[in-house]
Amino acid sequence: MRSLTRKGAATRQRVLEGAAAHIREYGVAATTLDDVLAMTATSKSQLFHYFPGGREELLLAVARFEADRVLSDQQPQLGDLTSWPGWWLWRDKVVARYRDQGRACPLGSVMSQLDGGTPGAQAVVTGLMSRWQAEIAAGVRHMQGIGEIDPGLDPDRAAAALLAGIQGGVLIQMSTGQTTHLEAALDMGIAHLQGGGRARP
């Protein structure tokens, strides 16, 4: 994206956050460019200045915004996996986030409206999973460094397995409205990292 002035960047961010908020409340199908213009007090010329590709480009930007929120909603716990109490606090933060979100997934609903085969759309999900896995793996490496996790464990594979469990639990939660499977995936995953025999403090 071309360089923007501070005012221009603020305007673009306002449009982006307004579009994301409208989609969260009403859904993608019920969100038009006119809705975004009205909600953000933005002119059509302004919107197309910042999102020249129109609705498709705006939705892709919203998808990136929602992907960033997945990780920011887990902070600061996700970035502080440096003790077992810290891991369990992160576990609780993840469960609370998806419990509050309910069955609707803002990122999933936006992605469903985009051409998933485009590099931009693929990069949103790939980037999210890569960053999320890297954060978890960093926590595993820290715990290995202080002697709390088996040094023979591959941090990246351990993080990938835990992330796969989270994603499976979230999919089931979106179908059933229950976080039982998500909680089980996190509980068992963290217990495995601890050596399988320790109870949650």
Side-chain angles (χ1 to χ4, degrees):
M1 188 179 68
R2 63 186 179 281
S3 178
L4 298 175
T5 64
R6 181 177 299 179
K7 183 178 179 181
T11 300
R12 185 182 187 280
Q13 188 67 19
R14 187 181 76 245
V15 173
L16 175 57
E17 291 181 3
H22 197 282
I23 288 170
R24 277 179 168 259
E25 185 169 357
Y26 300 105
V28 182
T31 299
T32 66
L33 291 182
D34 286 338
D35 293 326
V36 177
L37 295 177
M39 186 171 189
T40 60
T42 306
S43 69
K44 184 170 289 189
S45 62
Q46 281 181 305
L47 188 147
F48 279 94
H49 174 71
Y50 297 114
F51 301 96
R55 178 179 169 84
E56 187 80 4
E57 184 173 344
L58 179 58
L59 287 180
L60 185 57
V62 170
R64 294 192 190 100
F65 176 78
E66 291 293 353
D68 288 341
R69 282 191 60 166
V70 170
L71 297 183
S72 65
D73 285 352
Q74 298 176 52
Q75 298 297 352
Q77 289 80 4
L78 179 59
D80 192 30
L81 301 175
T82 57
S83 67
W84 291 124
W87 279 82
W88 290 110
L89 285 172
W90 167 67
R91 175 264 191 210
D92 292 343
K93 192 73 172 277
V94 172
V95 172
R97 182 206 189 274
Y98 285 103
R99 182 181 291 124
D100 291 344
Q101 177 178 286
R103 295 188 180 191
C105 175
L107 176 59
S109 65
V110 174
M111 291 300 295
S112 70
Q113 298 296 310
L114 294 168
D115 181 357
T118 64
Q122 290 178 345
V124 171
V125 176
T126 301
L128 168 60
M129 293 303 150
S130 178
R131 288 183 291 153
W132 198 349
Q133 181 175 325
E135 291 265 23
I136 298 171
V140 174
R141 289 189 178 91
H142 178 90
M143 299 298 281
Q144 286 177 319
I146 61 175
E148 289 291 326
I149 290 180
D150 179 359
L153 196 68
D154 183 325
D156 294 307
R157 284 181 62 82
L162 189 52
L163 182 54
I166 293 171
Q167 289 299 293
V170 169
L171 284 174
I172 295 173
Q173 184 249 335
M174 287 170 59
S175 299
T176 66
Q178 303 296 318
T179 60
T180 307
H181 295 80
L182 173 60
E183 293 180 52
L186 282 161
D187 291 347
M188 296 298 290
I190 296 174
H192 173 71
L193 292 177
Q194 289 181 295
R198 302 185 195 179
R200 174 173 179 169

